[in-house]
């Protein structure tokens, strides 16, 4: 069955609605002059399993559905949602939200509606991809294999999560589009003790796939091995240095630098409003000419990928920075219209109960030409940061942070001792101008990123090659 | 003011779920049902920007088959959906392992008294009225000084909800509560010198909110104060956490003495019960029965009675923060903290904020922290910060793009003083906190 038909069936028909009912709600929304209107239907299935202390500790399952109704007039938005997908309720929501429209333009402009787009993932239900016993067996095997790796292991925690999300988006131009989005995630955390010192290591991954993802290439067990390795490194870690120094970032997940330092600052809403440190700077140099950064929602099976965004726009590979020059912003429909540019497929929302806004998908830097070893060798004294926890940015001042979870000192061109986790802080608009070497080892992260903005969480990806930054403040304790 | 009819409607659904669990063979079950309605409006540059009508409901059930456990939730309360939800929970329980510590709380610990905590004050306000408050607030912030250059707007939020919890031991209780807030955020300066800050007020009763003028003026003052911020050189110095930042420090302490971190041995305060973890002048206690407060509750998320009690006195840790499960894992008794603490209060000292600045004398005042650089297992602490450099008790200039670092174990032991400038906007009530010394990294 074609996707649209399948989703229409699973969201509308089961609730006794037909596509004509969507037309009635849309007609109610369009009874006043508006620039845009949409109805977003969603049905989500979610499960999680966790293992701790060597036993299957917890499992949970949830089913949620609902619809959100939105009208936009100029820069004004009216929004209501309900968990009851019923015609009278949707009509009432439509009547409530259109009150925001005092004057507006009737949506006359012909909008190009994409008819088809590549399918970046299969419309699978990951919850059904293994039977429950097989999920339990997988967790138990990962737990026991991980525990064998080191006698200092005191506790292992393994979690397995899957979501199966169907969305149906009706726009004021009469278009009706659907997407079915699987997402799986696994995580292993290890606590290790030696001579009274206790440290942890954590590793995970996932993507828009089903549980078979973790069985391919030995991934599930590799997470366990990597978590153990990180805990081992941390047991040896000494005080981190404090102060401004050369920092080499490893490939992959350290791309969170790009997400925080420049990604958020390049989201369309902040730039339309002029509240971002990057506002009005398209065409200007914001990075060294070694840097080309894209936001690409079209990567097959990645955690941050989407066939279409939550406004029905097919995702794109958007060049943000090309050879150091700022090229453009990430846009949803509202901000694109107000800025006179086209949407880039970055309109995302956490659920039907949230308003869409410009969000990242998979944000990464393209590879350069340097050999990673040569980059390390070029540093007399500095920090090599291989793994990170989370980060945060103040998009107005441009100041951003991200915290290392695996880092080493570089002394005379060699990686020497591991150091404890430390926060790195810098200034978004100039940090990339200090990039003096870019490795040829571009890698994407393992599929663990979740981005928060205005209280809404969405899955994202990041990536980068090894990077050398001439001067970043490292927040250790060793002054 | 409680609408008993609405509470009873939810109780019926919870009872139906508990009955269904029994029907499907569960030896025990607990269920919670919450409904929340709200309105959020925001205004920017003098005009309405968004109007959002919120309407959420969620129901969750946990079933026990002996000592195997499973949970499921849904937002669809049709009879069929409730049956399916219980079925899903039961199916999970069948695959879960026997866990000697799992199960419902001891019946004698369940709450039996339910005083009116004065938590429900719905705000009779429509979108137009809310918009005009937001516009007024933003106008005051924007008009405060000509250096205010842009705005992220002001918003008014009002929420009212009903929550019912029941279990198969016969506990079935519910209450209504409200929560309203007014917030504002503006920018000052331009280009590379641009700064932004915000302020907000939150209360159970709209009458307890700061006025649009107060919030607007404070937003503007805080934003202006950040202009011309610079970094600091790398150094060690005393650090004063403003009260709105001090709650995070106490939050890290609470996390470390919570049952889940303790039984997983992922806490930097393992095995510290009855030992000195703070200076001897520090008292931390829980006040669950404060009328109208944000964290008040007469029972926790398992139905266990909450208690007014000391957690730290004379700097000595007197009690962990436990749920039924974590307590059993540790061979202790639950402290009524499933779901968290209730108006956790750090006893204020004698100094107001100005007095605390004098005590700081020369050092860093932190008014904003960034990132999640707190390691719960080791206590290692390293976060991005901004605030003000203070000399001789007088603010000199704003600072940004620095980090502050230390280890929570020694940071807590080295608290010099706690102010009486208590921030009441959260579940942790604490004044500003002065630490003897931290490592600052900067230019």
């Amino acid at each position: 069955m074609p996707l649209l038909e399948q989703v229409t069936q699973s969201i509308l028909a089961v609730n006794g609605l037909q596509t004509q009912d969507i037309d009635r709600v849309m007609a109610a929304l369009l009874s006043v002059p508006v620039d845009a209107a949409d109805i977003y239907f969603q049905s989500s299935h979610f499960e999680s399993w966790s293992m701790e202390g060597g036993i299957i500790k917890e499992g949970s399952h949830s089913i949620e559905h609902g619809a959100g109704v939105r009208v936009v007039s100029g820069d004004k938005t009216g929004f209501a949602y309900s968990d009851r997908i019923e015609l009278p309720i949707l009509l009432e929501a439509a009547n409530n939200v259109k009150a925001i429209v005092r004057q507006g333009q009737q949506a006359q402009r012909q909008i190009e509606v994409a008819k088809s787009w590549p399918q970046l993932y299969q419309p699978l239900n990951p919850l059904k991809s293994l039977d429950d016993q097989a999920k339990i067996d997988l967790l138990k095997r990962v737990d026991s294999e991980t525990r064998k790796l080191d006698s200092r292991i005191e506790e292992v925690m393994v979690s397995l999560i899957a979501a199966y999300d169907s969305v149906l988006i009706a726009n004021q131009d009469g278009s009706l589009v659907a997407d079915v989005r699987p997402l799986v995630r696994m995580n292993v955390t290890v606590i290790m003790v030696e001579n009274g010192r206790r440290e942890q290591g954590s590793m995970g991954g996932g993507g828009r796939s089903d549980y078979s993802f973790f069985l391919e290439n030995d991934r599930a067990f590799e997470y366990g091995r990597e978590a153990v390795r990180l805990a081992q490194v941390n047991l040896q870690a000494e005080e981190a240095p404090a102060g401004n120094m050369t920092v080499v970032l490893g490939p992959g997940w350290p791309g969170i630098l790009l997400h925080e330092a420049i990604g958020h600052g390049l989201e369309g809403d902040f730039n339309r409003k002029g509240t971002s440190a990057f506002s009005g700077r398209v065409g200007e140099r914001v990075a060294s000419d070694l840097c080309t950064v894209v936001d690409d929602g079209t990567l097959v099976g990645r955690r941050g990928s989407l066939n279409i965004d939550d406004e029905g726009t097919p995702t794109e590979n958007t060049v943000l920075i090309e050879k150091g020059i700022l090229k453009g912003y990430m846009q949803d429909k509202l901000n694109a219209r107000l800025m006179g540019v086209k949407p880039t497929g970055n309109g995302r929302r956490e659920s039907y109960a949230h308003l869409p806004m410009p969000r990242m998908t998979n944000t990464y830097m393209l590879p350069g030409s340097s050999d990673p070893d040569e980059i390390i060798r070029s540093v007399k004294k500095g920090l090599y940061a291989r793994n990170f926890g989370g980060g945060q940015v103040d998009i107005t001042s441009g100041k951003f942070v991200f915290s290392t979870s695996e880092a080493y000192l570089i002394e005379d061109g060699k990686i020497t001792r591991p150091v404890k986790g430390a926060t790195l802080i810098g200034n978004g608009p100039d940090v990339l101008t200090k990039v003096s070497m870019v490795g040829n080892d571009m890698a994407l992260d393992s599929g663990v990123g979740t981005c928060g903005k205005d209280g809404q969480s969405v899955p994202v990806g990041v990536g980068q090659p090894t990077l050398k930054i001439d001067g970043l403040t490292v927040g250790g304790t060793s002054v | 003011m409680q609408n008993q009819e609405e509470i009873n409607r939810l109780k019926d659904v919870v009872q139906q779920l508990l009955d269904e669990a029994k029907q499907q063979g569960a030896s025990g079950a607990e269920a919670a049902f919450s409904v929340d309605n709200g309105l959020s409006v925001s205004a920017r540059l003098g005009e309405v920007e968004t109007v959002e009508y919120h309407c959420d409901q969620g129901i969750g059930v946990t079933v026990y088959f002996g000592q195997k456990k499973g949970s499921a939730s849904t937002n669809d309360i049709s009879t069929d959906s409730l049956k399916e939800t219980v079925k899903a929970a039961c199916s999970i329980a069948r695959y879960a392992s026997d866990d000697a510590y799992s199960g419902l709380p001891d019946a004698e610990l369940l709450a039996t008294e339910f005083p009116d905590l004065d938590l429900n004050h719905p705000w009779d306000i429509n979108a137009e009225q809310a918009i005009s408050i937001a516009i007024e607030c933003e106008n005051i912030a924007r008009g405060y000084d000509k250096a205010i250059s842009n705005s992220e707007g002001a918003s008014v939020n009002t929420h009212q909800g009903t929550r019912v919890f029941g279990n198969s031991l016969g506990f079935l209780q519910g209450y209504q509560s409200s929560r309203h807030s007014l917030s504002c955020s503006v920018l000052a300066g331009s280009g590379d010198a641009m700064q932004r800050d915000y302020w907000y007020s939150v209360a159970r009763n709209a009458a307890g909110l700061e006025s649009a003028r107060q919030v607007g003026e404070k937003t503007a003052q805080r934003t202006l104060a950040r202009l011309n911020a610079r970094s600091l050189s790398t150094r060690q110095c005393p650090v004063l956490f403003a009260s709105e930042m001090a709650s995070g420090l106490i939050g890290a302490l609470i996390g470390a003495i919570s049952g889940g971190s303790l039984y997983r041995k992922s806490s930097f305060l393992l095995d510290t019960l009855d030992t000195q973890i703070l200076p001897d002048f520090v008292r931390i206690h829980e006040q669950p029965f404060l009328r109208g407060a944000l964290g008040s509750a007469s029972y926790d998320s398992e139905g266990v009675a909450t208690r007014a009690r000391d957690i730290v006195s004379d700097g000595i840790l007197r009690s962990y923060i436990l749920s039924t499960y974590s307590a059993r894992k540790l061979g202790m008794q639950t402290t009524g903290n499933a779901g968290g603490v209730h108006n956790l209060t750090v006893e204020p000292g004698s100094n107001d904020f100005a007095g605390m600045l004098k005590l700081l004398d020369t050092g860093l005042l932190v008014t904003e922290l960034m990132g999640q650089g707190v390691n719960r297992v080791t206590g290692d602490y390293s976060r991005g910060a901004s605030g003000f450099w203070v000399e001789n008790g007088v603010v000199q200039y704003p600072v940004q793009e620095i980090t502050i670092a230390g280890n929570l174990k020694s940071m807590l032991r080295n608290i010099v003083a706690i102010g009486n400038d208590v921030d009441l906007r959260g579940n942790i009530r604490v004044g500003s906190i002065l630490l003897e010394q931290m490592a600052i990294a900067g230019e």
Side-chain angles (χ1 to χ4, degrees), chain A residues 280-466:
Chain A
R281 298 182 67 167
V282 170
E284 290 182 21
R285 174 163 297 281
V286 295
S288 77
D289 56 14
L290 300 170
C291 300
T292 295
V293 180
V294 300
D295 182 82
D296 187 354
T298 70
L299 300 172
V300 172
R302 302 299 306 188
R303 183 173 163 87
S305 297
L306 292 173
N307 291 323
I308 50 171
D309 73 3
D310 292 318
E311 299 184 302
T313 309
T315 53
E316 293 177 14
N317 179 0
T318 306
V319 178
L320 303 175
I321 294 171
E322 188 171 28
K323 294 182 176 157
I325 306 298
L326 179 58
K327 286 299 188 189
Y329 304 119
M330 290 166 274
Q331 300 288 2
D332 63 358
K333 285 184 175 172
L334 184 152
N335 290 288
R337 178 172 49 77
L338 293 170
M339 291 182 82
V341 296
K342 67 181 194 51
T344 54
N346 288 92
R348 302 185 64 185
R349 62 202 292 176
E350 182 179 309
S351 78
Y352 69 89
H354 299 85
L355 276 171
M357 54 186 160
R359 302 295 296 265
M360 285 172 260
T361 59
N362 304 294
T363 313
Y364 59 95
M365 182 183 288
L366 303 191
S369 57
S370 297
D371 170 17
D373 293 336
E374 172 199 341
I375 297 178
I376 299 287
R377 277 200 300 274
S378 74
V379 179
K380 178 127 185 68
K381 188 172 178 302
L383 188 79
Y384 175 57
R386 184 68 192 82
N387 266 296
F388 282 87
Q392 193 184 332
V393 62
D394 175 335
I395 51 112
T396 299
S397 70
K399 305 301 174 273
F400 69 91
V401 296
F402 56 143
S403 306
T404 66
S405 58
E406 180 191 6
Y408 305 83
L409 289 182
I410 308 175
E411 294 167 303
D412 291 323
K414 291 194 184 70
I415 292 170
T416 56
R417 295 163 287 159
V419 295
K420 289 183 171 193
T423 288
L424 272 51
I425 189 163
N427 183 36
D430 66 38
V431 65
L432 292 188
T433 64
K434 298 179 191 167
V435 171
S436 59
M437 294 176 91
V438 175
N440 55 15
D441 55 345
M442 206 302 273
L444 295 166
D445 77 283
S446 60
V448 293
T450 297
C451 169
K453 176 177 171 184
D454 284 355
Q456 291 194 39
S457 294
V458 296
V460 295
V462 297
Q464 67 175 31
T466 298

Side-chain angles (χ1 to χ4, degrees), chain A residues 66-277:
Chain A
V69 172
R70 173 174 73 143
V71 294
V72 180
S73 167
D75 60 357
K76 299 174 176 50
T77 300
F79 177 57
Y81 58 87
S82 174
D83 42 39
R84 289 160 64 187
I85 301 180
E86 296 164 23
L87 185 59
I89 288 181
L90 294 174
L91 286 171
E92 187 194 332
N95 281 320
N96 275 333
V97 302
K98 72 184 188 192
I100 193 151
V101 180
R102 288 179 185 134
Q103 70 262 352
Q105 303 80 44
Q106 190 70 5
Q108 296 288 0
R109 200 151 43 94
Q110 197 59 40
I111 297 168
E112 277 178 51
V113 184
K115 293 279 188 303
S116 67
W117 42 84
Q119 295 296 304
L120 307 170
Y121 36 84
Q122 296 301 310
L124 312 158
N125 183 349
L127 285 73
K128 298 223 157 98
S129 63
L130 280 183
D131 64 34
D132 287 348
Q133 189 58 50
K135 296 169 198 168
I136 302 306
D137 291 344
L138 174 62
L139 284 170
K140 287 185 172 168
R141 268 166 38 225
V142 171
D143 176 80
S144 64
E145 289 300 313
T146 304
R147 282 176 194 273
K148 283 180 201 156
L149 295 173
D150 195 307
S151 61
R152 295 169 294 178
I153 293 174
E154 191 177 56
E155 177 63 294
V156 173
M157 290 166 264
V158 192
S159 65
L160 193 60
I161 292 171
Y164 175 60
D165 201 17
S166 302
V167 303
L168 182 67
I169 306 159
N171 275 303
Q172 84 275 11
D173 53 24
S175 66
L176 185 66
V177 293
D179 197 16
V180 173
R181 301 163 174 174
L183 189 66
V184 292
R185 164 93 197 259
M186 186 176 208
N187 203 76
V188 183
T189 298
V190 168
I191 293 185
M192 225 182 261
V193 182
E194 185 178 53
N195 300 327
R197 182 168 171 182
R198 181 169 268 107
E199 293 281 356
Q200 74 177 25
S202 195
M203 181 64 195
R208 296 207 178 274
S209 179
D210 64 18
Y211 285 134
S212 64
F213 180 84
F214 301 115
L215 306 172
E216 295 159 8
N217 305 319
D218 208 27
R219 279 193 185 103
F221 301 96
E222 185 55 33
Y223 299 151
R225 288 191 282 273
E226 181 66 4
V228 169
R229 188 189 67 78
L230 287 167
Q232 288 167 341
V233 169
N234 285 327
L235 275 175
Q236 309 303 318
E238 299 169 13
E239 285 202 350
N244 199 277
M245 62 195 72
T246 299
V247 175
V248 176
L249 300 174
W253 179 240
I256 188 171
L257 163 88
L258 305 170
H259 179 99
E260 301 296 349
I262 62 151
H264 279 293
L266 298 181
E267 289 167 342
D269 45 356
F270 302 129
N271 288 284
R272 169 177 63 86
K273 296 175 183 178
T275 60
S276 164

Side-chain angles (χ1 to χ4, degrees), chain A residues 56-57 76 198 273 423 475, chain B residues 47 97 150 263 265 382:
Chain A
I56 300 296
K57 174 81 177 302
K76 299 174 176 50
R198 181 169 268 107
K273 296 175 183 178
T423 288
Chain B
E47 289 189 57
S97 310
N150 199 345
Y263 83 72
K265 297 193 164 62
S382 167

Side-chain angles (χ1 to χ4, degrees), chain A residues 52 56-63 65 76-77 79 81 83 198 273 352 390 392 399 420 423 474-475, chain B residues 44 47 49-51 53-54 56-57 69 71-75 97 150 263-265 270 325 371 382 403:
Chain A
E52 184 183 304
I56 300 296
K57 174 81 177 302
E58 269 177 339
S60 70
H61 180 271
S62 92
I63 298 182
H65 61 214
K76 299 174 176 50
T77 300
F79 177 57
Y81 58 87
D83 42 39
R198 181 169 268 107
K273 296 175 183 178
Y352 69 89
Q392 193 184 332
K399 305 301 174 273
K420 289 183 171 193
T423 288
V474 178
Chain B
R44 180 170 177 269
E47 289 189 57
E49 187 177 39
T50 60
V51 174
Y53 296 91
H54 304 279
D56 295 287
Q57 65 176 2
K69 170 185 165 185
S71 303
S73 67
T74 183
N75 66 355
S97 310
N150 199 345
Y263 83 72
R264 292 183 179 98
K265 297 193 164 62
L270 271 189
Y325 182 81
S382 167
T403 60

